[in-house]
Amino acid sequence: MSDAHPSRPVFDSQSERSEIIFPGDTNPLGNLFGGRLMQFIDLVGAMTASRHSRAIPITVSMDHLDFVAPVKVGDILILKASVNRAFNTSMEVGVKAMVEDVHAGTLRHVSSAYLTFVAVDHTGKRVPVPHIVPETEHQHRRFEDAGRRREMRSGEVARKKELRATLTPEWHI
């Protein structure tokens, strides 16, 4: 493998972020806004993508975002992210969000998402990213699953491109 496309193990770029949820982060029921959770997910995903690529990560997509359980005012939110797979200039990053019960010492899963980032330099030009080296059975499964999701996303991109070509100009977004 050339120096332009080295390999890195998953653990080299894993990131974790913790947040305490304040009233300003929540709706009138005291639940964390979904958009705020998405922001936290994007930030920890970008940290992981940046660590892996050693470049500027640009968010291309966030998909398979599941809101499993509410996050309440006062909760400690912990987000963990890993690169599932790296392609030429892009990476899929998986993020899992959990709430820590500090009294019981337990974690409760509240959300998961897959994000795609593209690595760019300071001029905005795409740059190659290192390949990922899965080491555990779990990492190998995530690696294979990321390849399948990429194939599905490629088909969806082509379908949307065809749809846009048929829309009248006032409907183009």
Side-chain angles (χ1 to χ4, degrees), residues 135-142:
E135 297 175 312
T136 68
E137 185 178 321
H138 181 70
Q139 291 171 356
H140 280 281
R141 181 187 54 77
R142 290 172 65 118

Side-chain angles (χ1 to χ4, degrees), residues 25-97:
D25 298 320
T26 65
N27 65 25
L29 297 175
N31 296 328
L32 179 64
F33 283 117
R36 188 78 165 119
L37 180 57
M38 291 171 71
Q39 179 185 17
F40 292 145
I41 288 169
D42 190 33
L43 288 168
V44 74
M47 287 190 310
T48 296
S50 181
R51 281 180 166 166
H52 181 74
S53 65
R54 307 229 191 277
I56 300 166
I58 304 298
T59 309
V60 174
S61 69
M62 180 184 294
D63 55 67
H64 300 280
L65 174 61
D66 297 316
F67 297 103
V68 178
V71 180
K72 300 285 191 181
V73 169
D75 281 348
I76 296 174
L77 180 68
I78 299 171
L79 301 109
K80 295 184 178 191
S82 299
V83 175
N84 292 334
R85 191 161 182 168
F87 300 96
N88 185 32
T89 60
S90 67
M91 302 151 276
E92 182 192 272
V93 175
V95 178
K96 186 172 188 177

